[in-house]
Amino acid sequence: MSEYFNEQDAYFRAKKKVKEIRGFYYNLTCYCVVITGLFILNLATSREHLWFLYPALGWGIGLAFHGMSAFGLTFMLGKDWEERKMREYMENEQHFDNQLKNKISNHEN
């Protein structure tokens, strides 16, 4: 039975990962289309000041972080950090629950 849950767990993790990567490619496509449009608009209105670079840079930085996250290239807050934090919160919650149960049982006695 546990093997079934492990396979199901792996399936859902893989499905989530594919969804993250698909989201990145969607973001990348939108970036290319919009920035190209802004570039054309910029050249059509004022060639002296290349203002399209500002949104290209801002969105590009966000896109880079999105790509690093989608493909597992996060250095500081990677998957290990996330799992450690989740375990820490779960242990703290369990510790709090145990303390509460002890207080209730001591109060009843």
Side-chain angles (χ1 to χ4, degrees):
M1 190 71 157
S2 67
E3 185 177 317
Y4 170 75
F5 287 119
N6 287 341
E7 285 180 31
Q8 191 176 26
D9 229 17
Y11 171 79
F12 284 119
R13 280 195 310 271
K15 187 174 182 177
K16 181 182 176 192
K17 191 68 175 168
V18 168
K19 187 176 181 179
E20 290 172 2
I21 293 171
R22 184 181 63 211
F24 168 73
Y25 283 127
Y26 177 77
N27 193 358
L28 178 62
T29 302
C30 291
Y31 174 83
C32 291
V33 169
V34 170
I35 297 303
T36 301
L38 291 176
F39 173 72
I40 292 168
L41 181 64
N42 187 175
L43 291 181
T45 58
S46 67
R47 292 176 182 252
E48 300 84 38
H49 180 66
L50 299 178
W51 53 262
F52 85 95
L53 291 174
Y54 301 120
L57 181 64
W59 192 352
I61 290 170
L63 185 63
F65 281 110
H66 189 178
M68 290 187 329
S69 172
F71 291 103
L73 301 174
T74 52
F75 302 105
M76 294 172 47
L77 301 177
K79 188 71 171 166
D80 292 339
W81 175 87
E82 188 176 314
E83 288 177 9
R84 281 194 316 269
K85 270 307 197 193
M86 287 175 60
R87 263 189 257 117
E88 179 184 326
Y89 286 128
M90 290 169 61
E91 288 170 2
N92 286 343
E93 189 173 314
Q94 185 175 11
H95 179 69
F96 176 75
D97 287 346
N98 289 340
Q99 284 182 335
L100 187 61
K101 287 177 186 175
N102 287 339
K103 285 182 181 181
I104 290 172
S105 67
N106 289 339
H107 182 66
E108 290 175 352
N109 292 334

